[in-house]
Amino acid sequence: MKNYLKAFKTRQTPQWEPIPGSSQVPNSAGGYAWPVDDWVRLDRFLVLGSEGGSYYATERALTVDNAQAVLRAIQADGPRAVARIAEVSEAGRAPKNDPAIFALALAASHGDPATRQAAFEALPRVCRIGTHLLHFAGYVEGFRGWGRGLRKAIAAWYAQPAERLAYQAVKYQARDGWSHRDLLRLAHPKASTPQHQDLYSWMVRGWEWVGDEPHPDPALRLIWAWERAKRASSRQEIVRLIREHRLPREAVPTEYLAEAEVWEALLQDMPMAALIRNLATMTRVGLLAPSGEATARVVAQLGDAQRLRAARVHPIAVLAALKTYAQGHGERGKQKWEPVPAVVDALDAAFYTSFGNVEPTGKRWLLGLDVSGSMTCGQVAGVPGLTPRVASAAMALITAATEQERTFLGFCHELVPLAISPRQRLDDVLKATDGLPFGGTDCALPMLWATQRKVEVDVFVVYTDSETWFGKVHPVQALRQYRQRLGIPAKLIVIGMVSNAFSIADPDDAGMLDVVGFDTAAPNLMADFARG
Ligand code: CA
């Protein structure tokens, strides 16, 4: 620090004071940063949620704070807020859909009439599967009553094609104390076809008699198969039902879920998200082994970029799977398995693929990771052990893997040696980041370091919660001095890793951009911004 101070005696404001004449506000750490507007906060909430809270706020306080920002956005321009919620949700940009469902329920309750209508119309776009709808029911009941508009919107959801609806009902039976029966009784959808009539009555009352022959109507055959599975008395029968009627795992009685043969049958039609979630189980029951057809099939599917994207598999889901799978035991250590190296490698590759295609910009990048104490609290997307600072390392690898010229820096109140490279496997990078020492926060350090060493940089990227307070110069002042000293119009991208209200980026400087960590659209937004 002493060396930096010698070089920077003028035009500097300590971070514990606001830059004179700026719109900076106090952050939670005793420093000053810019407040982000409610639209950025809406984005941060949609992508990052508030699970696990943060270093400065409990989960509850962070949720209240975010919900208030979402409400302000809804009140300022409800249809715009709904459009944003649907866009982020539908494109699979967030690790979890819950924040979008929660925000949609808020819009459906507290918006003006046009906003509520927009929210009802967006319902099938945000609540694409049965679980989402049941979650929505749980949220919305906390905000409003079951008026006519809401019941109509729910009824419309149940008018989707019968075969699809049957699958949803089998796969997602009940969540959070809500079942399809409850919703049908509330919404009273009018059956548009005899198949819908049969499905509704099965959801509400069940079927009394289930014969030996498959149901004559293909749209209802899955329901028949599930009813048969409940009464099955042998593994062979279950395997046949899965193979012939595409019965999902959720419809297989628990006692058969320890059998490799059952999982082999399930694997033939397993959706991508379920495949990623069940790798450990499939290894534990002996289906996935260092060699074998099932392993080859799983590796091929994980390598199928088109399928990954079509299934909206979020990189965090891949990362969570990799982290757990590679360690060979569950979080509580009860279940154990021998990780198959080919599967670990396939997950590692799938992480990069799931961000989509990013074209290299050819610019010179400096990636600065805030590894200070405050970045070690909270869980990104509720993944155990995935703190904002560990998640930053994974996020930075995306840019590092795309761009030729990039430098990694770790910092807290001083620079921290960061021994990571994009050639390392992700789970090793996570471990290395987790083990780093930490301290106070000075987000100006990456710019100061580059100035002092005359390192040529086009784009500084700082992964942080913007709770900077330690340094004797603000990050933007350090950036401006860098631009002046090196004659490079360097840009600054701030990756918000926590859904709080702050940014170190000056909103009035066109050379600075705020993006949200783990938004799958972030790498392309960053590349576009870098290109200008
Ligand atoms: Ca900090």
Side-chain angles (χ1 to χ4, degrees):
M1 280 307 298
K2 279 177 198 152
N3 293 340
Y4 294 142
L5 281 175
K6 265 184 204 160
F8 290 88
K9 280 181 183 159
T10 58
R11 276 178 297 165
Q12 62 178 45
T13 315
Q15 291 173 19
W16 52 88
E17 289 169 12
I19 296 175
S22 78
S23 53
Q24 287 189 322
V25 296
N27 62 22
S28 315
Y32 281 81
W34 277 276
V36 293
D37 70 25
D38 289 330
W39 299 103
V40 174
R41 295 214 64 188
L42 174 64
D43 280 0
R44 284 187 182 178
F45 176 64
L46 290 175
V47 175
L48 297 169
S50 56
E51 221 165 332
S54 72
Y55 184 80
Y56 298 100
T58 60
E59 179 172 314
R60 188 178 179 280
L62 194 61
T63 303
V64 170
D65 197 35
N66 273 294
Q68 280 164 347
V70 172
L71 269 179
R72 285 193 301 271
I74 288 167
Q75 272 146 17
D77 186 347
R80 178 181 166 192
V82 170
R84 191 65 178 162
I85 293 163
E87 183 189 336
V88 170
S89 170
E90 202 170 33
R93 287 170 58 173
K96 288 201 165 175
N97 202 29
D98 283 1
I101 299 170
F102 179 83
L104 189 73
L106 272 177
S109 311
H110 293 287
D112 57 19
T115 302
R116 290 203 300 273
Q117 189 52 37
F120 295 147
E121 281 164 18
L123 187 70
R125 291 174 60 199
V126 175
C127 299
R128 296 175 294 274
I129 59 173
T131 292
H132 298 162
L133 185 74
L134 298 169
H135 283 320
F136 178 81
Y139 287 138
V140 83
E141 203 181 40
F143 305 139
R144 56 164 288 164
W146 291 92
R148 194 169 156 270
L150 178 58
R151 280 184 278 134
K152 240 177 94 181
I154 301 277
W157 193 92
Y158 285 97
Q160 61 181 292
E163 201 163 343
R164 213 181 156 261
L165 182 62
Y167 182 78
Q168 294 302 317
V170 167
K171 200 166 160 63
Y172 312 100
Q173 297 138 26
R175 293 288 190 284
D176 301 333
W178 282 92
S179 67
H180 293 295
R181 175 193 296 161
D182 303 329
L183 285 181
L184 285 172
R185 281 179 173 164
L186 271 169
H188 286 296
K190 234 179 134 227
S192 54
T193 69
Q195 297 157 331
H196 282 85
Q197 185 58 54
D198 269 6
L199 273 176
Y200 297 163
S201 82
W202 170 75
M203 286 189 224
V204 175
R205 285 180 296 275
W207 284 347
E208 277 177 17
W209 178 86
V210 181
D212 291 336
E213 290 306 310
H215 197 287
D217 190 329
L220 301 172
R221 219 163 271 166
L222 182 67
I223 307 288
W224 171 85
W226 187 29
E227 294 292 342
R228 294 295 295 188
K230 288 180 193 165
R231 298 159 174 78
S233 55
S234 73
R235 185 180 66 212
Q236 288 78 2
E237 199 178 346
I238 291 291
V239 167
R240 190 163 42 76
L241 287 168
I242 296 169
R243 288 200 185 278
E244 289 174 10
H245 304 286
R246 303 180 160 196
L247 208 60
R249 183 197 59 84
E250 288 79 356
V252 175
T254 321
E255 63 260 40
Y256 296 105
L257 287 175
E259 313 264 3
E261 207 186 327
V262 169
W263 282 97
E264 190 180 14
L266 286 169
L267 186 58
Q268 74 176 356
D269 277 308
M270 196 177 284
M272 196 60 126
L275 176 92
I276 289 171
R277 236 184 359 253
N278 289 304
L279 289 169
T281 305
M282 290 191 285
T283 305
R284 198 161 41 79
V285 301
L287 179 62
L288 299 182
S291 61
E293 203 199 322
T295 304
R297 182 185 289 185
V298 163
V299 168
Q301 292 196 10
L302 289 172
D304 187 337
Q306 249 177 334
R307 260 197 77 176
L308 271 173
R309 257 167 263 157
R312 296 187 187 84
V313 172
H314 195 278
I316 289 267
V318 181
L319 190 64
L322 173 66
K323 202 169 161 292
T324 309
Y325 186 77
Q327 74 189 11
H329 58 83
E331 284 309 321
R332 268 152 289 165
K334 270 193 208 153
Q335 312 271 32
K336 287 189 167 50
W337 58 89
E338 192 67 45
V340 176
V343 172
V344 177
D345 291 344
L347 279 171
D348 195 57
F351 174 76
Y352 297 95
T353 322
S354 57
F355 270 101
N357 209 18
V358 189
E359 293 292 326
T361 61
K363 302 283 182 195
R364 296 160 293 187
W365 296 71
L366 190 149
L367 311 171
L369 276 63
D370 175 353
V371 298
S372 70
S374 65
M375 295 287 281
T376 63
C377 283
Q379 295 177 345
V380 175
V383 180
L386 193 65
T387 61
R389 87 167 182 165
V390 168
S392 305
M395 184 79 195
L397 284 183
I398 294 294
T399 303
T402 317
E403 301 291 346
Q404 287 287 320
E405 292 190 61
R406 58 333 190 220
T407 309
F408 274 115
L409 271 187
F411 67 88
C412 48
H413 58 281
E414 58 186 4
L415 294 172
V416 175
L418 205 57
I420 60 176
S421 97
R423 279 171 297 277
Q424 260 175 300
R425 227 179 48 203
L426 260 170
D427 53 320
D428 292 331
V429 171
L430 300 190
K431 262 184 251 158
T433 316
D434 205 23
L436 292 172
F438 50 82
T441 317
D442 181 2
C443 287
L445 283 177
M447 280 72 76
L448 295 175
W449 178 86
T451 310
Q452 200 198 30
R453 302 196 170 207
K454 299 197 169 50
V455 178
E456 298 188 335
V457 176
D458 299 308
V459 191
F460 290 92
V461 185
V462 178
Y463 303 77
T464 184
D465 55 6
S466 288
E467 302 280 18
T468 194
W469 58 276
F470 189 85
K472 296 203 171 142
V473 55
H474 275 266
V476 298
Q477 293 174 322
L479 176 69
R480 284 178 188 132
Q481 301 220 14
Y482 175 86
R483 287 170 176 166
Q484 203 176 37
R485 294 274 173 99
L486 276 92
I488 300 172
K491 295 176 176 176
L492 171 66
I493 300 175
V494 179
I495 316 246
M497 299 301 298
V498 172
S499 59
N500 64 10
F502 311 109
S503 174
I504 56 167
D506 181 349
D508 295 327
D509 187 321
M512 301 189 197
L513 175 74
D514 276 295
V515 299
V516 186
F518 276 109
D519 179 345
T520 49
N524 273 309
L525 288 171
M526 291 161 65
D528 287 346
F529 179 70
R531 284 188 200 99

